[in-house]
Amino acid sequence: METIEKRMLTGNKAMAEAIALEMERDPTVFVLGEDVGKYGGIFGSTQGLFDQFGADRVMDTPISETAFIGAAIGAAAEGMRPITELMFVDFFGVCMDQIYNHMAKIPYMSGGNVKLPMVLMTAVGGGYNDAAQHSQTLYATFAHLPGMKVVAPSTPYDLKGMMISAIRDDNPVVFMFHKTLQGLGWMDQLDASISHVPKEDYTVPLDKANVVREGKDVTIVGLQMTMHYALEAAEKLAEEGIEAEVIDLRSIAPIDKETIIKSVKRTHRLIVVDEDYLSCGISAEVSAIIAEEALYELEAPVKRIAVPDVPLPYSRPLEQFVLPNANKIYDEAMKLINEW
Amino acid sequence: MSMTRERINIPVEKLKWMYETMVKSRYYEDVMVEAYNEGKKPVFNIGAGPVPGEMHLSTGQEPAAVGICAHLTKDDTVTSPHRPHHHAIAKGVDLNRMTAEIFGKVTGLGKGKGGHMHLFDPEVKFSCGGIIAAGIPHAVGAALAAKKKGKDWVAVAFVGEGAANAGGFHESLNLAALWKLPLIVVVEDNAYGISVPKSGSTAVASNDLRAAAYGIEGAYVRNNDPIEMYLASEEAVRRARNGEGPTIIEIETHRYLGHFQGDPEMYRDKEEVPNLRKIDPITKIRDLMLSEGIATEEETAQIEVRAKKDVDDAYHFARESEYPAPEDALKDVFSS
């Protein structure tokens, strides 16, 4: 019998390994951001890189996001491949001008004559009571604005493969990693935050969703934590004889319409789960795709589970009330099957 | 540094208030360390226990807060960053409701919605927030409002030394200088922005020097000295109330604990904090009061008992309070 050796890595180590491999391969790749040096990134995204590559290529910055994200843009325009970290996505407010009016638009405004091969990586997500200014995902805020690829990988395997793709991509890529899926010792320890990761370099495309569980009764679309909740709900639904198909969106811009439409054509029911705010978000986008392109495939209304339109509250019972979870998905799926 | 009687040009009551407030503030953080660790041992999980989430404690940084708040009334505004407890206590924030907020209770300042980084007590014009340098423009606004209302109120923005490198710092000071607003920016130089030392984040030796860039006054307080902080603040507040414009005060202070609780602190020498604790400002001010005959042992003991009782009462109030109803999460997005 052939055995496959598993190489288990946490999300953060998978990311850091991807960056290290690319830095070895390509001298134009460098990292800059707050506490990315000796500390290794607050959420471990650059763990070990400082020791391996030194301060010239793994640069700590002052708390000056406008300056260092803007500098990454300037360096990228000169042909470097900077990876810059916005510590929490919530901090985008102080530097959104550089991100959106410059990083996202310069390639377009130059008629394609200026390329910005850079990665803006940033930590997203709540669930650990960090309150309104440190718990958002803001997936849709970035995906709404044209000119940036926006990805949000859900597994260590994809974190590595999509990071390598992001670094090699000639466009600006916003790379959102979920704090709870980094596998950090000081947060919730989830099985989902550790998995087999091949040692060598490999790429995962930046525009393809992933069907992580096949089923015929209902399609559940999620990403990062909500995809893992969907899988958990699907296990429970299976005990009731309901087979849910779970799609890991992975890429938010561009969004992989084809995979979603194909799935709904098979299951005829759709639930979209999102850790972002409900209105004008990914759940609306996915619903609109189906309304436009597969409306008559539906045998039931589309259901959305997302953060109701309130900021993330601090207190545990309040935060748990607004965040999606496996039970909410299970209940919604049961209703969708039983009532339609 | 020796402190002589001649140098202590401070009313006795103010000195005693500063001592009591520093003791209260220090004990508050000691209690908070214990409460925060609850449910997080043996395995640390930031989301576990009665006080979850990030926790940034101010142990060691008390002189900055008391030195200037000794000159403020409840009509003056204070804005504070992610490490706010010492400022809140010195500004007279309701300790019960502040503590209840940190425990996520419905009796808290924000009914459990804000947490430790987002405390708002409009009664004493105190607020804080989790985004670096973001409180400075709010203080500019408060100072502008005071001017428009014809009051001699001042606004104080506390920030860490890391915030001096953020855009909001420069824009705010330029504006406040232009409009000659009663603003004082207190830069607490605790030597690190999370892990990055001051020398790794700016080429400027001390941030009071930046005052020249805005055409305003700057002062620098060495050795985490509450007396010097009091004196520098006295002058800055006087100027502000007289319409003479903003001041930057930088104080060299010390963060005894991690950036947040659970910080592995690999970026600093293990001996650093024990050495700093040997020159503790609370001990120094107590020794000073005793040696100068300002207070007796009995008096300082009474002050300590009183300060600790306030904290214990607040702690019990918070523990005994109820959590908000889950569906209350949907309230307060808009005022009704």
Side-chain angles (χ1 to χ4, degrees), chain A residues 157-158 160-163 165-166 202-208 250:
Chain A
Y157 182 89
D158 283 354
K160 178 170 172 181
M162 292 176 88
M163 176 54 87
S165 295
Y202 60 88
T203 58
V204 171
L206 301 178
D207 59 356
K208 290 278 178 291
R250 299 196 294 198

Side-chain angles (χ1 to χ4, degrees), chain A residues 35 39 42 60 62-64 87-88 91 94 128-131 133-134 185-188 308-310 313-318 321-322, chain B residues 44-49 52-54 101-102 104 112-115 117-118 130-131 165-166 193-195 201 260 325-326 329 333:
Chain A
D35 303 281
Y39 198 103
I42 294 302
D60 271 333
I63 307 170
S64 309
M87 190 189 293
F88 286 75
F91 301 170
V94 296
Y128 63 103
N129 311 92
D130 220 3
Q133 296 175 340
H134 291 76
W186 47 278
M187 301 192 85
D188 268 346
D309 297 325
V310 302
Y314 162 68
S315 185
R316 189 176 290 122
L318 301 180
F321 181 78
V322 302
Chain B
F44 183 88
N45 179 342
I46 189 168
E54 280 174 78
E101 184 61 30
I102 295 168
K113 292 196 166 81
M117 271 190 281
H118 316 100
I131 307 294
N165 307 314
I194 307 186
S195 73
S201 62
F260 44 59
V333 179

Side-chain angles (χ1 to χ4, degrees), chain B residues 238-255:
Chain B
R238 186 195 60 75
R239 270 203 307 273
R241 292 202 200 283
N242 286 343
E244 293 169 37
T247 305
I248 301 172
I249 302 176
E250 175 153 283
I251 174 167
E252 177 193 14
T253 189
H254 306 302
R255 154 157 76 70

Side-chain angles (χ1 to χ4, degrees), chain A residues 58-73:
Chain A
V58 185
M59 306 174 73
D60 271 333
T61 62
I63 307 170
S64 309
E65 289 88 353
T66 293
F68 70 76
I69 292 173
I73 294 167

